[in-house]
C-alpha cells in the first residue's frame, strides 16, 4: 500500500538552455497524423512505454532542482481530437466550460511525453485547483485579458506561446486553434517524480463493499464521458460523446481509476467572446463522489478544506479510500 502526495513539495526552475526544434522531429511528431511521443506501445497497465518513458528518465542535463508538476490545458472540442500525450499523464481532470462543452487538464509528474496537445486557454477555476501543488508550471495558450492579471499573481509559472515560443508548435493536421502542441522538455528539465503529486490521493487495496459497475456516463449540457470497464485490460475505457477516445498513436484512453466528483459549478465573472458565461468549478469544500476501480463503484465522501490542501476521499465511516495504481481521471460534475 502506498501513499502519493505526502512527500516533500518541490519547486520549478527553468532549464538552463533552450534549443531549437529539429525539423525532422517536428515533422514526425507534430505534422499531419501527429503521433503520441513517436507512437509508443502500452504496457500491461495501458500506460505508454519506451519513447515517452525514456525521455523522462533521461532528461536534458542542467543544474535545475527537482520541479513541481506540469499541468497542461487540453482542448476537448471534437475538432481537437484525437489528442496527443494524454496517456502519459498521472491525472486527467475534466471540467465543464462555456456552452456546456468540456475541457481537460493533464498533470504530469512521473514522466513527460514528447508532445502534448492541442493546448488551449486557462480558466479561473484552474487557479484554485492548482494551489494543491507547490509552484506548478501551467502550460496554456492564453486567457482573456481580465483573467491574465489573476494568473500572473497566482503561485504558479504560467507558460504561454508568447513567453516561450520555442516550447510550442502548430501542426498541420488540424485547423487553428485546435493545433497548438507543447514540448514539455522545453519547460521542465525532467519529470519531477511522484512526490510532486501533492493531491492527497492514496493508492493501494480497494475498499470493502462497492457495487458492480461496468459502465458510467457523466453528462454536461453539450458533452459526455463514458467509462466502460474492461476486465481484459483492467482499465476503464474512455469514450467521448459516444465515440471511443484514442490518442494520436491510436491507443485507447484507459485510466485505472475514475473519480466522478460532485461539486458546485457556478457562474464566474468571465465570459467568452460569444458572451457565454465561464463556469467556475469549486474544488475546495466537501461533498460526495463515486470512485470507479476494478469493475466496481464505491460511494465516498470528499473533502478539501483549503486550496493548498489535497483532496481526501473516505468511506462514510471516515476510512481513506485507495485508488488503483495507474492513471486517475477526475470528472467534475454539478452536485
Amino acid at each position: 500500500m502506498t501513499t502519493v502526495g505526502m512527500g516533500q513539495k518541490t519547486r520549478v526552475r527553468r532549464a538552463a538552455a533552450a534549443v531549437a526544434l529539429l525539423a525532422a522531429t517536428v515533422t514526425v511528431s507534430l505534422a499531419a497524423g501527429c503521433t503520441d511521443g513517436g507512437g509508443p506501445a502500452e504496457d500491461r497497465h495501458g500506460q505508454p512505454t519506451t519513447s515517452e518513458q525514456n525521455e523522462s528518465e533521461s532528461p536534458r542535463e542542467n543544474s535545475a532542482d527537482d520541479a513541481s508538476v506540469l499541468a497542461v490545458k487540453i482542448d476537448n472540442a471534437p475538432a481537437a481530437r484525437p489528442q496527443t500525450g494524454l496517456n502519459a499523464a498521472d491525472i486527467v481532470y475534466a471540467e465543464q466550460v462555456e456552452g456546456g462543452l468540456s475541457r481537460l487538464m493533464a498533470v504530469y509528474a512521473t514522466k513527460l511525453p514528447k508532445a502534448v496537445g492541442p493546448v488551449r486557454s486557462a480558466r479561473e477555476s484552474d487557479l484554485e485547483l492548482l494551489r494543491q501543488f507547490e509552484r506548478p508550471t501551467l502550460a496554456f495558450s492564453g486567457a482573456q485579458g481580465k483573467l491574465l492579471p489573476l494568473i500572473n499573481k497566482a503561485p504558479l509559472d504560467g507558460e504561454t506561446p508568447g513567453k516561450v515560443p520555442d516550447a510550442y508548435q502548430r501542426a498541420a493536421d488540424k485547423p487553428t486553434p485546435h493545433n497548438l502542441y507543447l514540448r514539455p522538455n522545453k519547460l521542465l528539465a525532467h519529470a519531477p517524480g511522484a512526490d510532486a503529486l501533492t493531491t492527497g490521493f492514496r493508492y493501494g487495496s480497494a475498499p470493502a463493499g462497492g457495487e458492480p459497475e461496468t459502465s458510467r456516463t457523466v453528462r454536461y449540457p453539450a458533452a459526455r464521458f463514458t467509462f466502460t470497464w474492461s476486465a481484459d485490460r483492467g482499465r476503464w475505457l474512455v469514450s467521448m460523446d459516444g465515440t471511443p477516445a484514442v490518442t494520436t498513436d491510436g491507443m485507447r484512453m484507459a485510466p485505472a481509476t475514475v473519480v466522478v466528483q460532485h461539486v458546485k459549478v457556478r457562474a464566474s465573472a468571465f465570459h467568452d467572446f460569444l458572451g457565454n458565461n465561464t463556469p467556475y468549478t469549486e474544488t475546495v469544500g466537501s461533498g460526495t463522489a463515486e470512485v470507479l476501480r476494478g469493475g466496481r463503484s464505491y460511494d465516498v465522501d470528499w473533502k478539501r478544506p483549503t486550496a493548498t490542501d489535497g483532496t481526501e476521499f473516505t468511506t462514510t465511516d471516515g476510512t481513506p479510500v485507495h485508488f488503483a495504481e495507474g492513471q486517475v481521471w477526475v470528472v467534475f460534475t454539478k452536485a
Side-chain angles (χ1 to χ4, degrees), residues 35-44 46-59 87-88 110-114 249 251:
T35 61
D36 219 359
E42 291 182 325
D43 64 15
R44 64 187 180 89
Q47 299 301 315
T49 60
T50 61
S51 60
E52 286 190 351
Q53 291 184 359
N54 289 341
E55 177 155 337
S56 65
E57 291 165 359
S58 302
N87 281 340
T110 60
K111 53 182 171 287
L112 299 177
K114 289 182 177 180
D249 59 2
M251 297 297 177

Side-chain angles (χ1 to χ4, degrees), residues 79-104:
R81 302 170 190 159
Q83 291 98 340
T84 296
L86 271 180
N87 281 340
D90 295 280
I91 306 166
V92 177
Y93 291 102
E95 64 179 348
Q96 181 182 328
V97 292
E98 299 85 2
L101 296 171
S102 64
R103 188 156 294 177
L104 307 176

Side-chain angles (χ1 to χ4, degrees), residues 9-13 64-70 109 134-137 187-193 195-196:
K9 294 184 177 180
T10 53
R11 181 168 182 154
V12 172
R13 289 182 55 188
D65 292 336
D66 287 345
S68 186
V69 299
L70 170 65
E134 177 69 22
R135 194 93 193 168
T137 295
L187 301 184
L188 297 185
H190 52 80
D195 281 351

Side-chain angles (χ1 to χ4, degrees), residues 70 115 139 153 202 266 282 310 332:
L70 170 65
K153 292 178 182 179
R202 297 171 179 265
R266 58 172 172 81
E282 295 188 4
F332 296 119

Side-chain angles (χ1 to χ4, degrees), residues 67-293:
S68 186
V69 299
L70 170 65
V72 186
K73 288 308 298 282
I74 305 292
D75 194 350
N76 198 37
R81 302 170 190 159
Q83 291 98 340
T84 296
L86 271 180
N87 281 340
D90 295 280
I91 306 166
V92 177
Y93 291 102
E95 64 179 348
Q96 181 182 328
V97 292
E98 299 85 2
L101 296 171
S102 64
R103 188 156 294 177
L104 307 176
M105 178 189 286
V107 177
Y108 299 88
T110 60
K111 53 182 171 287
L112 299 177
K114 289 182 177 180
V116 179
V119 180
R120 287 301 298 273
S121 56
R123 296 294 184 272
E124 183 186 9
S125 51
D126 299 334
L127 306 183
E128 179 178 279
L129 181 61
L130 289 172
R131 284 294 305 280
Q132 63 191 303
F133 304 110
E134 177 69 22
R135 194 93 193 168
T137 295
L138 173 62
F140 62 109
S141 64
Q144 63 168 268
K146 293 182 179 180
L147 178 57
L148 284 173
L150 299 182
I151 296 175
N152 293 335
K153 292 178 182 179
L156 55 79
D157 291 313
E159 302 290 12
T160 64
K163 290 180 63 177
V164 281
D166 69 319
Y168 292 88
Q169 181 72 29
R170 291 282 180 187
D173 62 328
K174 296 184 179 78
T176 302
H178 310 292
N179 63 350
L180 181 66
Y181 293 85
L182 170 73
R183 287 292 197 182
N185 72 343
K186 299 294 183 178
L187 301 184
L188 297 185
H190 52 80
D195 281 351
L197 291 170
T198 50
T199 57
F201 296 175
R202 297 171 179 265
Y203 299 82
S205 301
E211 296 292 334
E213 185 82 66
T214 58
S215 182
R216 173 65 62 88
T217 296
V218 179
R219 299 179 185 275
Y220 295 163
R224 72 181 189 272
F225 297 90
T226 298
F227 302 93
T228 303
W229 175 247
S230 169
D232 292 340
R233 292 280 303 277
R235 288 292 184 268
W236 295 91
L237 305 182
V238 183
S239 294
M240 298 178 183
D241 303 327
T243 301
V246 298
T247 51
T248 45
D249 59 2
M251 297 297 177
R252 190 76 180 266
M253 297 182 195
T257 304
V258 177
V259 179
V260 180
Q261 187 172 343
H262 302 273
V263 297
K264 182 177 180 179
V265 180
R266 58 172 172 81
S268 74
F270 300 95
H271 298 76
D272 68 8
F273 71 97
L274 295 174
N276 296 313
N277 185 265
T278 300
Y280 188 103
T281 299
E282 295 188 4
T283 57
V284 171
S286 60
T288 61
E290 293 85 52
V291 172
L292 310 180
R293 61 166 294 178

